[in-house]
PDB file of all heavy atoms in Angstrom:
ATOM      1  N   ASP A 243      -3.156 -20.612  -2.200  1.00  0.00           N
ATOM      2  CA  ASP A 243      -2.687 -19.854  -3.364  1.00  0.00           C
ATOM      3  C   ASP A 243      -1.335 -19.199  -3.098  1.00  0.00           C
ATOM      4  O   ASP A 243      -0.478 -19.126  -3.978  1.00  0.00           O
ATOM      5  CB  ASP A 243      -3.691 -18.751  -3.726  1.00  0.00           C
ATOM      6  CG  ASP A 243      -4.949 -19.307  -4.367  1.00  0.00           C
ATOM      7  OD1 ASP A 243      -4.970 -20.524  -4.650  1.00  0.00           O
ATOM      8  OD2 ASP A 243      -5.902 -18.532  -4.571  1.00  0.00           O
ATOM      9  N   LEU A 244      -1.185 -18.693  -1.884  1.00  0.00           N
ATOM     10  CA  LEU A 244       0.068 -18.032  -1.521  1.00  0.00           C
ATOM     11  C   LEU A 244       1.235 -19.012  -1.587  1.00  0.00           C
ATOM     12  O   LEU A 244       2.299 -18.695  -2.132  1.00  0.00           O
ATOM     13  CB  LEU A 244      -0.025 -17.494  -0.089  1.00  0.00           C
ATOM     14  CG  LEU A 244      -0.262 -16.005   0.118  1.00  0.00           C
ATOM     15  CD1 LEU A 244      -0.329 -15.707   1.610  1.00  0.00           C
ATOM     16  CD2 LEU A 244       0.805 -15.155  -0.546  1.00  0.00           C
ATOM     17  N   ALA A 245       1.023 -20.201  -1.027  1.00  0.00           N
ATOM     18  CA  ALA A 245       2.084 -21.216  -1.047  1.00  0.00           C
ATOM     19  C   ALA A 245       2.440 -21.546  -2.492  1.00  0.00           C
ATOM     20  O   ALA A 245       3.621 -21.617  -2.858  1.00  0.00           O
ATOM     21  CB  ALA A 245       1.638 -22.465  -0.291  1.00  0.00           C
ATOM     22  N   SER A 246       1.421 -21.700  -3.322  1.00  0.00           N
ATOM     23  CA  SER A 246       1.674 -22.081  -4.708  1.00  0.00           C
ATOM     24  C   SER A 246       2.326 -20.923  -5.475  1.00  0.00           C
ATOM     25  O   SER A 246       3.241 -21.124  -6.276  1.00  0.00           O
ATOM     26  CB  SER A 246       0.359 -22.562  -5.326  1.00  0.00           C
ATOM     27  OG  SER A 246       0.126 -21.990  -6.568  1.00  0.00           O
ATOM     28  N   PHE A 247       1.900 -19.707  -5.207  1.00  0.00           N
ATOM     29  CA  PHE A 247       2.488 -18.506  -5.820  1.00  0.00           C
ATOM     30  C   PHE A 247       3.991 -18.439  -5.539  1.00  0.00           C
ATOM     31  O   PHE A 247       4.790 -18.016  -6.382  1.00  0.00           O
ATOM     32  CB  PHE A 247       1.772 -17.286  -5.232  1.00  0.00           C
ATOM     33  CG  PHE A 247       2.350 -15.940  -5.562  1.00  0.00           C
ATOM     34  CD1 PHE A 247       2.338 -15.455  -6.868  1.00  0.00           C
ATOM     35  CD2 PHE A 247       2.869 -15.120  -4.560  1.00  0.00           C
ATOM     36  CE1 PHE A 247       2.842 -14.182  -7.158  1.00  0.00           C
ATOM     37  CE2 PHE A 247       3.374 -13.858  -4.845  1.00  0.00           C
ATOM     38  CZ  PHE A 247       3.360 -13.392  -6.151  1.00  0.00           C
ATOM     39  N   LEU A 248       4.381 -18.867  -4.356  1.00  0.00           N
ATOM     40  CA  LEU A 248       5.791 -18.809  -3.951  1.00  0.00           C
ATOM     41  C   LEU A 248       6.535 -20.105  -4.259  1.00  0.00           C
ATOM     42  O   LEU A 248       7.723 -20.220  -3.981  1.00  0.00           O
ATOM     43  CB  LEU A 248       5.881 -18.515  -2.445  1.00  0.00           C
ATOM     44  CG  LEU A 248       5.279 -17.181  -2.002  1.00  0.00           C
ATOM     45  CD1 LEU A 248       5.238 -17.091  -0.479  1.00  0.00           C
ATOM     46  CD2 LEU A 248       6.080 -16.012  -2.578  1.00  0.00           C
ATOM     47  N   ASN A 249       5.809 -21.072  -4.830  1.00  0.00           N
ATOM     48  CA  ASN A 249       6.344 -22.418  -5.036  1.00  0.00           C
ATOM     49  C   ASN A 249       6.968 -22.973  -3.755  1.00  0.00           C
ATOM     50  O   ASN A 249       8.124 -23.405  -3.730  1.00  0.00           O
ATOM     51  CB  ASN A 249       7.341 -22.472  -6.202  1.00  0.00           C
ATOM     52  CG  ASN A 249       7.613 -23.915  -6.650  1.00  0.00           C
ATOM     53  OD1 ASN A 249       6.842 -24.825  -6.334  1.00  0.00           O
ATOM     54  ND2 ASN A 249       8.710 -24.131  -7.363  1.00  0.00           N
ATOM     55  N   MET A 250       6.168 -22.929  -2.716  1.00  0.00           N
ATOM     56  CA  MET A 250       6.537 -23.548  -1.447  1.00  0.00           C
ATOM     57  C   MET A 250       5.368 -24.463  -1.071  1.00  0.00           C
ATOM     58  O   MET A 250       4.330 -24.460  -1.730  1.00  0.00           O
ATOM     59  CB  MET A 250       6.767 -22.489  -0.364  1.00  0.00           C
ATOM     60  CG  MET A 250       7.927 -21.543  -0.641  1.00  0.00           C
ATOM     61  SD  MET A 250       9.566 -22.327  -0.571  1.00  0.00           S
ATOM     62  CE  MET A 250       9.898 -22.310   1.203  1.00  0.00           C
ATOM     63  N   ASP A 251       5.519 -25.258  -0.014  1.00  0.00           N
ATOM     64  CA  ASP A 251       4.471 -26.229   0.300  1.00  0.00           C
ATOM     65  C   ASP A 251       3.378 -25.684   1.225  1.00  0.00           C
ATOM     66  O   ASP A 251       2.221 -26.049   1.098  1.00  0.00           O
ATOM     67  CB  ASP A 251       5.097 -27.484   0.932  1.00  0.00           C
ATOM     68  CG  ASP A 251       6.081 -28.153  -0.018  1.00  0.00           C
ATOM     69  OD1 ASP A 251       5.808 -28.154  -1.241  1.00  0.00           O
ATOM     70  OD2 ASP A 251       7.125 -28.635   0.449  1.00  0.00           O
ATOM     71  N   VAL A 252       3.758 -24.855   2.160  1.00  0.00           N
ATOM     72  CA  VAL A 252       2.802 -24.363   3.163  1.00  0.00           C
ATOM     73  C   VAL A 252       3.069 -22.885   3.408  1.00  0.00           C
ATOM     74  O   VAL A 252       4.225 -22.461   3.432  1.00  0.00           O
ATOM     75  CB  VAL A 252       2.981 -25.091   4.520  1.00  0.00           C
ATOM     76  CG1 VAL A 252       1.771 -24.868   5.414  1.00  0.00           C
ATOM     77  CG2 VAL A 252       3.239 -26.570   4.333  1.00  0.00           C
ATOM     78  N   ALA A 253       2.008 -22.123   3.608  1.00  0.00           N
ATOM     79  CA  ALA A 253       2.190 -20.698   3.906  1.00  0.00           C
ATOM     80  C   ALA A 253       1.274 -20.280   5.045  1.00  0.00           C
ATOM     81  O   ALA A 253       0.175 -20.810   5.202  1.00  0.00           O
ATOM     82  CB  ALA A 253       1.899 -19.855   2.669  1.00  0.00           C
ATOM     83  N   ARG A 254       1.746 -19.347   5.833  1.00  0.00           N
ATOM     84  CA  ARG A 254       0.941 -18.760   6.900  1.00  0.00           C
ATOM     85  C   ARG A 254       1.083 -17.247   6.843  1.00  0.00           C
ATOM     86  O   ARG A 254       2.147 -16.733   6.470  1.00  0.00           O
ATOM     87  CB  ARG A 254       1.430 -19.217   8.284  1.00  0.00           C
ATOM     88  CG  ARG A 254       1.226 -20.682   8.578  1.00  0.00           C
ATOM     89  CD  ARG A 254      -0.235 -21.015   8.858  1.00  0.00           C
ATOM     90  NE  ARG A 254      -0.405 -22.422   9.177  1.00  0.00           N
ATOM     91  CZ  ARG A 254      -0.637 -23.368   8.267  1.00  0.00           C
ATOM     92  NH1 ARG A 254      -0.748 -23.063   6.991  1.00  0.00           N
ATOM     93  NH2 ARG A 254      -0.782 -24.619   8.645  1.00  0.00           N
ATOM     94  N   LEU A 255       0.029 -16.556   7.258  1.00  0.00           N
ATOM     95  CA  LEU A 255       0.102 -15.101   7.368  1.00  0.00           C
ATOM     96  C   LEU A 255       0.727 -14.741   8.715  1.00  0.00           C
ATOM     97  O   LEU A 255       0.465 -15.396   9.724  1.00  0.00           O
ATOM     98  CB  LEU A 255      -1.301 -14.503   7.273  1.00  0.00           C
ATOM     99  CG  LEU A 255      -2.058 -14.833   5.990  1.00  0.00           C
ATOM    100  CD1 LEU A 255      -3.434 -14.170   6.002  1.00  0.00           C
ATOM    101  CD2 LEU A 255      -1.268 -14.383   4.765  1.00  0.00           C
ATOM    102  N   VAL A 256       1.541 -13.719   8.717  1.00  0.00           N
ATOM    103  CA  VAL A 256       2.197 -13.271   9.948  1.00  0.00           C
ATOM    104  C   VAL A 256       2.102 -11.743  10.036  1.00  0.00           C
ATOM    105  O   VAL A 256       1.978 -11.070   9.013  1.00  0.00           O
ATOM    106  CB  VAL A 256       3.682 -13.709  10.002  1.00  0.00           C
ATOM    107  CG1 VAL A 256       3.800 -15.201  10.281  1.00  0.00           C
ATOM    108  CG2 VAL A 256       4.419 -13.362   8.708  1.00  0.00           C
ATOM    109  N   PRO A 257       2.164 -11.191  11.256  1.00  0.00           N
ATOM    110  CA  PRO A 257       2.067  -9.725  11.406  1.00  0.00           C
ATOM    111  C   PRO A 257       3.379  -9.024  11.051  1.00  0.00           C
ATOM    112  O   PRO A 257       4.039  -8.444  11.903  1.00  0.00           O
ATOM    113  CB  PRO A 257       1.723  -9.528  12.888  1.00  0.00           C
ATOM    114  CG  PRO A 257       1.546 -10.887  13.478  1.00  0.00           C
ATOM    115  CD  PRO A 257       2.177 -11.872  12.557  1.00  0.00           C
ATOM    116  N   GLY A 258       3.734  -9.100   9.777  1.00  0.00           N
ATOM    117  CA  GLY A 258       4.984  -8.506   9.313  1.00  0.00           C
ATOM    118  C   GLY A 258       6.049  -9.567   9.126  1.00  0.00           C
ATOM    119  O   GLY A 258       6.059 -10.586   9.820  1.00  0.00           O
ATOM    120  N   ALA A 259       6.966  -9.312   8.176  1.00  0.00           N
ATOM    121  CA  ALA A 259       8.058 -10.257   7.910  1.00  0.00           C
ATOM    122  C   ALA A 259       8.815 -10.568   9.194  1.00  0.00           C
ATOM    123  O   ALA A 259       9.219 -11.705   9.445  1.00  0.00           O
ATOM    124  CB  ALA A 259       9.005  -9.671   6.858  1.00  0.00           C
ATOM    125  N   ARG A 260       8.991  -9.551  10.036  1.00  0.00           N
ATOM    126  CA  ARG A 260       9.755  -9.730  11.287  1.00  0.00           C
ATOM    127  C   ARG A 260       9.180 -10.851  12.143  1.00  0.00           C
ATOM    128  O   ARG A 260       9.908 -11.543  12.832  1.00  0.00           O
ATOM    129  CB  ARG A 260       9.807  -8.415  12.059  1.00  0.00           C
ATOM    130  CG  ARG A 260       8.459  -7.857  12.481  1.00  0.00           C
ATOM    131  CD  ARG A 260       8.583  -6.390  12.912  1.00  0.00           C
ATOM    132  NE  ARG A 260       8.899  -5.554  11.752  1.00  0.00           N
ATOM    133  CZ  ARG A 260       9.472  -4.360  11.818  1.00  0.00           C
ATOM    134  NH1 ARG A 260       9.792  -3.849  12.982  1.00  0.00           N
ATOM    135  NH2 ARG A 260       9.724  -3.671  10.727  1.00  0.00           N
ATOM    136  N   ARG A 261       7.861 -11.005  12.115  1.00  0.00           N
ATOM    137  CA  ARG A 261       7.251 -12.057  12.923  1.00  0.00           C
ATOM    138  C   ARG A 261       7.464 -13.426  12.275  1.00  0.00           C
ATOM    139  O   ARG A 261       7.349 -14.453  12.938  1.00  0.00           O
ATOM    140  CB  ARG A 261       5.766 -11.769  13.135  1.00  0.00           C
ATOM    141  CG  ARG A 261       5.505 -10.477  13.916  1.00  0.00           C
ATOM    142  CD  ARG A 261       5.977 -10.577  15.359  1.00  0.00           C
ATOM    143  NE  ARG A 261       5.698  -9.373  16.126  1.00  0.00           N
ATOM    144  CZ  ARG A 261       5.812  -9.303  17.453  1.00  0.00           C
ATOM    145  NH1 ARG A 261       6.213 -10.350  18.161  1.00  0.00           N
ATOM    146  NH2 ARG A 261       5.561  -8.181  18.082  1.00  0.00           N
TER     147      ARG A 261
END
Side-chain angles (χ1 to χ4, degrees):
Chain A
D243 287 353
L244 257 180
S246 133
F247 171 66
L248 298 172
N249 195 18
M250 296 292 277
D251 299 323
V252 196
R254 293 286 182 270
L255 302 181
V256 286
R260 61 195 68 202
R261 297 293 182 168

